Amino acid sequence: MRIGFVGLGNMGAAMAANLLAAGHELTVYNRSPEKARPLAERGATTASSVAQACDADVVVTMLADDAATEAVTFGESGILSALPPGATHVASSTISVALSQRLTEAHIAAGQTFVAAPVFGRPEAAAAGKLFVVTAGPPPAVSALEPVFTAVGQRTFVLSTEPRVAHLVKLSGNFLIASVIESLGEAMALVGKAGVDRQDYLEVLTSTLFDAPVYRTYGGLLASRQFEPAGFAARLGLKDVRLVLAAGEELQVPLPVASLVRDRYLALLAGGGAELDWSAMGELSAWEAGGPKPGS
Ligand code: NAP
């Protein structure tokens, strides 16, 4: 398949590499061009503009947030104006439900197709082609994208014909992860202050009732206090919790735990932790209990 890929950050670079390894004809674009070099060395074509990356059957965006996705799609010579009629824009970034809906409508009006395909899994999973893809969109387009999803992920969940549903489900998942980070951080602060070794504690958790990837991954990061380099930056974690709250407001669903977690991320960012891994938010509890500042 001829694929354009826009956004070669922590996630996008790894996903693009797997698309290339699967034999797709890949053209890559990144705002900071140096990030395209390793992919060019492996055979990808480098685009010097978003429009050039749109000379394809499919263009995938894996950008930081709503603002980046809006700029790249609606901006001058952006995806909306450059993508051929009938071609598909796949948004794998975690974006707002409102933007997902706006993209759906704009692409339909331009004679193009929009599919949401956000992913679960950190950069290590992306590098291993082991992401979980949560997708929604028009069924023929979603079916045609199967080779793309197979190249980047271990399983694909087709949720709806409405793209915004996939973005809502992705956001709800990140809300749950953030809630686990907060509660794990509180529990570790508690037992840690009483002298229990964090790794021993994690072994108890993950060998008993909490043997799930979310406890293993985030418990491991908290136990080792390994917050740099960030696999997923705290500033992006705050972005997702804000988007969850916006979705809750739109649907009139109170989310009191999400409100609390939003404030915890604000505290982490206010203390200079924007570029730490988002798991560092859990370390605030130990800090408040007299321990070291997260990331210090
Ligand atoms: P990242 O490493 O910060 O990369 C962000 C990408 O967006 C970079 O390519 C960056 O370009 C680009 N970008 C930012 N602002 C831009 C703008 N205004 N115009 C054009 N390009 C812009 O982020 P990431 O961790 O790969 O995450 C990407 C998306 O995946 C986010 O929506 C995130 O929520 C989601 N996600 C992340 C993870 C994870 O564990 N990291 C897991 C699942 C989903 P530059 O290189 O020029 O800065």
Side-chain angles (χ1 to χ4, degrees):
M1 201 178 289
R2 291 173 66 239
I3 302 173
F5 202 104
V6 179
L8 304 172
N10 284 334
M11 296 293 288
M15 291 166 72
N18 282 324
L19 288 168
L20 202 55
H24 295 291
E25 200 181 309
L26 196 70
T27 302
V28 294
Y29 172 82
N30 197 64
R31 179 180 62 177
S32 320
E34 68 278 1
K35 289 190 188 161
R37 226 166 278 139
L39 288 156
E41 281 163 15
R42 295 197 213 176
T45 302
T46 308
S48 53
S49 66
V50 172
Q52 254 182 36
C54 289
D55 183 17
D57 307 314
V58 170
V59 65
V60 181
T61 47
M62 194 50 171
L63 297 155
D65 53 16
D66 274 26
T69 308
E70 278 175 319
V72 154
T73 307
F74 298 104
E76 204 184 323
S77 307
I79 294 174
L80 207 57
S81 63
L83 196 65
T88 302
H89 175 189
V90 179
S92 282
S93 324
T94 309
I95 56 171
S96 69
V97 173
L99 178 58
S100 192
Q101 180 61 24
R102 190 175 156 220
L103 288 165
T104 303
E105 290 165 10
H107 282 299
I108 289 173
Q112 302 150 346
T113 304
F114 178 68
V115 170
V119 296
F120 285 106
R122 289 168 59 88
E124 308 82 69
K130 297 271 190 213
L131 295 171
F132 292 101
V133 181
V134 177
T135 186
V142 170
S143 300
L145 287 165
E146 204 256 327
V148 173
F149 300 151
T150 310
V152 301
Q154 57 178 298
R155 185 161 170 196
T156 301
F157 300 85
V158 182
L159 289 180
S160 169
T161 56
E162 298 293 334
R164 68 177 184 277
V165 173
H167 280 118
L168 178 66
V169 169
K170 166 63 192 171
L171 288 167
S172 77
N174 274 19
F175 157 59
L176 285 172
I177 298 172
S179 312
V180 167
I181 291 171
E182 169 62 21
S183 48
L184 258 176
E186 291 183 21
M188 282 202 180
L190 179 70
V191 300
K193 197 161 184 187
V196 178
D197 179 79
R198 285 183 174 208
Q199 296 291 353
D200 291 347
Y201 180 62
L202 183 60
E203 177 73 13
V204 172
L205 293 181
T206 56
S207 306
T208 54
L209 298 184
F210 305 96
D211 183 20
V214 68
Y215 287 102
R216 276 187 258 117
T217 300
Y218 290 98
L221 289 166
L222 280 165
S224 62
R225 297 186 168 92
Q226 180 73 51
F227 305 125
E228 289 171 290
F232 184 52
R235 66 183 152 77
L236 295 178
L238 173 62
K239 174 255 311 180
D240 287 355
V241 180
R242 285 179 49 240
L243 297 183
V244 167
L245 287 166
E249 198 168 317
E250 177 66 29
L251 291 166
Q252 292 209 335
V253 179
L255 301 167
V257 175
S259 298
L260 179 149
V261 164
R262 196 241 4 203
D263 281 350
R264 299 300 267 169
Y265 277 111
L266 281 179
L268 181 63
L269 266 63
E275 298 305 323
L276 296 177
D277 191 82
W278 74 321
S279 54
M281 183 269 281
E283 191 67 0
L284 290 171
S285 295
W287 182 33
E288 290 160 349
K293 189 175 171 189
S296 66

